[in-house]
Amino acid sequence: MSDAILMPSRRGVLILSGLGLLLAGCSTIGALTPIDGAEDETAAALPLVNRVRAERGLSPLAAKGAARSAAAEQAVRMAKAEQMTHLIGRGDDFKSRMKRRDVPLPAAENIASGQNSVEDAVEAWIRSQSHLTNMLGAYRGLGVAMARSTASRPYWAMVLSA
């Protein structure tokens, strides 16, 4: 055995430095786990929802990876079923879906269908008292996604989380 000290190569140092920067970029909002067919609309929806909350003196929401993933899953499920509904299929329940996606509870879900832009979907939720109540709730996280059915009809899901 040799007592020589191994010095990392310049290439090794660069690779490790890049890996460190990549890991440093990770945060609690997390990257959206890709769900085939879903478009993450959280970044576009967030200022619209936070404007409504600010008008009422409420704290802003932040994009949260788990909420984004749960919204994407629900949008895709509705698009595949071509049905706007919270519960799809036998044995489906909201709490189990949120738990599966690690969404911290309490949580709420707004859904919509037919709106052609995130602005139109958020506006529809604002005009609906029950959906607006969800958006003004004591939540901290937000995720919004859209998926299209085979007939190109847009299905929207918003998940609000603790």
Side-chain angles (χ1 to χ4, degrees), residues 2 13 19-20 25 49 53 59 75 94 100 109 115 138 153:
S2 169
V13 169
L19 181 59
V49 174
R53 289 176 62 87
S59 60
F94 176 74
R100 183 173 57 247
E109 180 177 77
Q115 295 80 8
R153 183 172 182 81

Side-chain angles (χ1 to χ4, degrees), residues 77 87-97 100:
R77 293 171 72 232
L87 304 177
I88 299 170
R90 192 171 163 162
D92 185 20
D93 72 277
F94 176 74
K95 189 173 179 181
S96 294
R97 282 192 290 112
R100 183 173 57 247

Side-chain angles (χ1 to χ4, degrees), residues 17-99:
S17 297
L19 181 59
L21 288 172
L22 178 66
L23 291 174
C26 296
S27 73
T28 58
I29 66 168
L32 176 64
T33 302
I35 295 179
D36 287 341
E39 294 179 27
D40 183 9
E41 296 287 348
T42 306
L46 199 56
L48 303 172
V49 174
N50 282 337
R51 184 192 77 232
V52 172
R53 289 176 62 87
E55 289 169 355
R56 290 158 175 85
L58 299 170
S59 60
L61 301 176
K64 297 291 182 180
R68 293 165 64 200
S69 181
E73 177 185 24
Q74 180 63 10
V76 168
R77 293 171 72 232
M78 291 188 301
K80 285 182 179 177
E82 295 186 347
Q83 186 178 13
M84 187 185 79
T85 182
H86 294 280
L87 304 177
I88 299 170
R90 192 171 163 162
D92 185 20
D93 72 277
F94 176 74
K95 189 173 179 181
S96 294
R97 282 192 290 112
M98 295 304 108
K99 186 174 181 179

Side-chain angles (χ1 to χ4, degrees), residues 56-155:
R56 290 158 175 85
L58 299 170
S59 60
L61 301 176
K64 297 291 182 180
R68 293 165 64 200
S69 181
E73 177 185 24
Q74 180 63 10
V76 168
R77 293 171 72 232
M78 291 188 301
K80 285 182 179 177
E82 295 186 347
Q83 186 178 13
M84 187 185 79
T85 182
H86 294 280
L87 304 177
I88 299 170
R90 192 171 163 162
D92 185 20
D93 72 277
F94 176 74
K95 189 173 179 181
S96 294
R97 282 192 290 112
M98 295 304 108
K99 186 174 181 179
R100 183 173 57 247
R101 291 286 172 185
D102 295 322
V103 174
L105 301 176
E109 180 177 77
N110 288 346
I111 58 174
S113 178
Q115 295 80 8
N116 289 315
S117 70
V118 68
E119 294 83 6
D120 290 345
V122 171
E123 185 59 36
W125 289 323
I126 290 169
R127 287 192 315 265
S128 163
Q129 188 57 53
S130 61
H131 294 100
L132 178 61
T133 298
N134 282 346
M135 291 190 294
L136 300 177
Y139 300 108
R140 295 189 309 247
L142 180 73
V144 177
M146 187 274 295
R148 292 188 180 276
S149 68
T150 54
S152 287
R153 183 172 182 81
Y155 288 85

